[in-house]
Amino acid sequence: MTTVQRVRPPTPAIRPKVVARTGLYTLLAANVAVVTAFFFQSGLDSNALILLGRLTGLYAALLMAFQLLLVARLPWLDHRIGMDRMTSWHRWVGFGLLWSLLGHGVFITLGYAEFSSMDPVSQLVDLAETVEGVLRAIVALVLIMVIGAVSARWARRRLAYETWHFIHLYTYVAVVLAFTHQVAVGTTFTTNSTAKTYWYVMWGVALGSVFVGRLVLPLWRNLRHQLRVSAVVPESDNVVSIYITGRDLDRLPARAGQFFLWRFMTKGRWWQANPFSLSAAPDGRSLRLTAKTAGDGTAALRHLKVGTRVFAEGPYGAFTTMHRTRPDALLIAGGVGVTPIRALLEDLHGHAAVIYRVATDQDAVLYDELRELAHAKGAHLFLVTGPATPDKLAPAELSRLVPDIADRDVYVCGPPGMTGAVLRTLRDLDVPKQQIHFERFSLAG
């Protein structure tokens, strides 16, 4: 009989996710307090609408800087919170930014219209013609409105990621226009040199974070590691594994459960970025991704040639053992969502149970690897097959397979519908929220 030694992973006094979230909230709250203090120091206007317009403008600019920090992909934040949650926050903050900017423009225009007795449209035109920076602010607002419109769910689903991303790049144009407008005419900054210095530093940090996280770090890592395709292995009719080698991969800070944005440097694919998880724990010698060939772009992966250069951004994601709170774990995979689950099983210590949900036995890619790995680690592996209804991962079924589920960390990865259903089941089974780990692997929206 094989005895499995259960080793409780070291758990920090405060969970990494809590530390990162608290840090972000504190940073935002501190900057709101500073901006508000500078606003009152600059003096209060007699017109309430202009006063409200100035304040909403300051808060809108602060939200814009916070937006940049959320999408900077700084490793310390990303590995603790996850790109999916950071992207979700970015989206909701973006809508707050849009309404704040609209409020700023409306309140300022109406406030000045009270003094001049002009109608609001004529007043706006007059401000654009006579006041430095107002026209730039109007252009910035229009750009933000366009970007907000294409980021709405109904529009985002109809756009290719590359198209959406190209349009989103105009955010940086809007940032420059809005910033120069504020420092040129904003009363808070024209009357207080300390406030202006603070504003430059804050925006320098925000833009610097984006520059480092989105450009410098990916370029440096790819120059250092020189990634290339070393093998292309079909796993089934529509699933393929790609092996990547390079230099000094033992110094690449990748962990099981994380993903990269992969660009394969061929004539027809170099501009396309796809998020694929590592399907094996990094061993310092090679990386492996396993992808379902669902469309023309991913279908071409099957025909990649050995030696093809690879540009990879990452590693990204908080779907790792860093966030474990219990000695034992349950891993639940659906379809090709098995890829990070398989890598996590390789990296886990303590007892693990693995549930692999597929429609048919033929859909269970990497199952042989899972079975061998589970046997070697003393884990329990359950293959659950059949149609989506009735739900074979309902509370009664899940608690039957894993009776001590409430005492385990639970990792879930699969199609959105399955993931949502499993998360509801876990809540019904009273699994503590801090023990539930999931991540939606997408680029935006």
Side-chain angles (χ1 to χ4, degrees):
M1 178 181 291
T2 302
T3 302
V4 179
Q5 183 179 6
R6 301 192 176 191
V7 180
R8 184 180 180 88
T11 303
I14 304 177
R15 292 185 296 128
K17 188 178 297 184
V18 173
V19 172
R21 284 180 174 177
T22 303
L24 277 178
Y25 297 155
T26 303
L27 179 65
L28 181 59
N31 278 279
V32 168
V34 171
V35 165
T36 304
F38 282 136
F39 170 77
F40 283 106
Q41 285 180 8
S42 65
L44 301 181
D45 198 283
S46 59
N47 186 290
L49 288 173
I50 293 177
L51 193 67
L52 191 56
R54 286 174 48 204
L55 190 58
T56 53
L58 286 173
Y59 288 158
L62 188 57
L63 286 177
M64 192 178 290
F66 191 61
Q67 282 276 70
L68 295 176
L69 186 62
L70 290 176
V71 296
R73 296 179 186 169
L74 299 176
W76 190 88
L77 285 174
D78 180 83
H79 297 173
R80 285 159 177 78
I81 297 176
M83 185 191 290
D84 64 331
R85 288 169 179 80
M86 299 277 278
T87 300
S88 178
W89 295 354
H90 169 80
R91 180 174 179 271
W92 286 109
V93 171
F95 288 121
L97 167 64
L98 177 59
W99 286 110
S100 298
L101 287 174
L102 285 171
H104 169 66
V106 169
F107 292 139
I108 289 290
T109 302
L110 292 178
Y112 278 100
E114 283 190 358
F115 284 122
S116 64
S117 299
M118 292 183 182
D119 64 88
V121 174
S122 300
Q123 180 63 67
L124 182 61
V125 172
D126 182 70
L127 288 172
E129 292 177 344
T130 60
V131 180
E132 179 188 2
V134 171
L135 183 59
R136 294 196 295 269
I138 294 173
V139 174
L141 176 58
V142 171
L143 288 174
I144 293 296
M145 291 175 66
V146 171
I147 293 165
V150 301
S151 296
R153 291 189 186 279
W154 62 268
R156 178 65 188 91
R157 293 192 186 101
R158 291 166 173 77
L159 292 175
Y161 168 73
E162 289 76 19
T163 303
W164 176 88
H165 185 260
F166 178 78
I167 295 173
H168 232 66
L169 291 177
Y170 282 96
T171 301
Y172 299 108
V173 177
V175 165
V176 173
L177 293 174
F179 175 79
T180 56
H181 158 71
Q182 278 200 313
V183 296
V185 301
T187 306
T188 302
F189 308 112
T190 56
T191 61
N192 189 330
S193 59
T194 303
K196 181 177 286 190
T197 300
Y198 155 79
W199 209 237
Y200 273 101
V201 171
M202 185 194 74
W203 277 97
V205 170
L207 289 169
S209 297
V210 174
F211 182 70
V212 171
R214 300 292 291 266
L215 184 64
V216 174
L217 192 56
L219 285 175
W220 178 76
R221 282 181 174 167
N222 280 275
L223 286 172
R224 179 181 189 180
H225 297 297
Q226 299 290 310
L227 302 177
R228 292 182 181 273
V229 174
S230 61
V232 179
V233 180
E235 302 288 356
S236 69
D237 291 342
N238 62 348
V239 176
V240 62
S241 288
I242 299 171
Y243 292 77
I244 310 291
T245 57
R247 300 186 311 195
D248 301 325
L249 291 187
D250 57 317
R251 305 186 71 175
L252 180 67
R255 302 184 62 161
Q258 292 186 308
F259 68 100
F260 288 78
L261 305 182
W262 304 93
R263 296 178 188 268
F264 297 96
M265 310 305 286
T266 61
K267 184 178 180 180
R269 288 194 55 86
W270 65 269
W271 53 275
Q272 294 180 331
N274 294 107
F276 295 127
S277 300
L278 297 175
S279 58
D283 60 6
R285 300 184 300 275
S286 66
L287 303 171
R288 186 182 76 172
L289 64 98
T290 301
K292 185 175 182 179
T293 54
D296 293 340
T298 50
L301 296 175
R302 187 178 293 269
H303 306 294
L304 285 173
K305 295 181 180 180
V306 172
T308 299
R309 288 292 301 270
V310 181
F311 188 93
E313 299 175 51
Y316 297 128
F319 195 67
T320 67
T321 57
M322 174 191 290
H323 302 282
R324 288 191 65 184
T325 64
R326 310 295 296 173
D328 299 336
L330 168 61
L331 310 179
I332 304 176
V336 78
V338 72
T339 54
I341 293 295
R342 185 255 180 249
L344 276 172
L345 179 59
E346 193 174 356
D347 195 44
L348 283 172
H349 299 284
H351 183 264
V354 184
I355 298 175
Y356 189 7
R357 179 72 169 95
V358 289
T360 67
D361 291 346
Q362 290 71 31
D363 295 321
V365 297
L366 304 181
Y367 181 69
D368 289 340
E369 288 187 22
L370 267 180
R371 185 170 53 195
E372 293 176 6
L373 190 55
H375 177 74
K377 298 181 74 70
H380 290 106
L381 174 61
F382 305 96
L383 181 63
V384 179
T385 62
T389 55
D391 186 4
K392 295 192 175 183
L393 296 181
E397 294 297 318
L398 207 53
S399 58
R400 181 182 63 82
L401 293 174
V402 188
D404 62 342
I405 186 172
D407 295 323
R408 294 174 179 263
D409 278 302
V410 184
Y411 289 81
V412 184
C413 186
M418 190 212 84
T419 298
V422 170
L423 294 178
R424 289 191 293 271
T425 293
L426 295 176
R427 288 195 293 269
D428 291 341
L429 293 173
D430 295 324
V431 178
K433 186 177 180 181
Q434 67 269 19
Q435 293 171 213
I436 301 172
H437 315 283
F438 68 98
E439 199 160 27
R440 295 181 174 90
F441 302 95
S442 61
L443 290 176

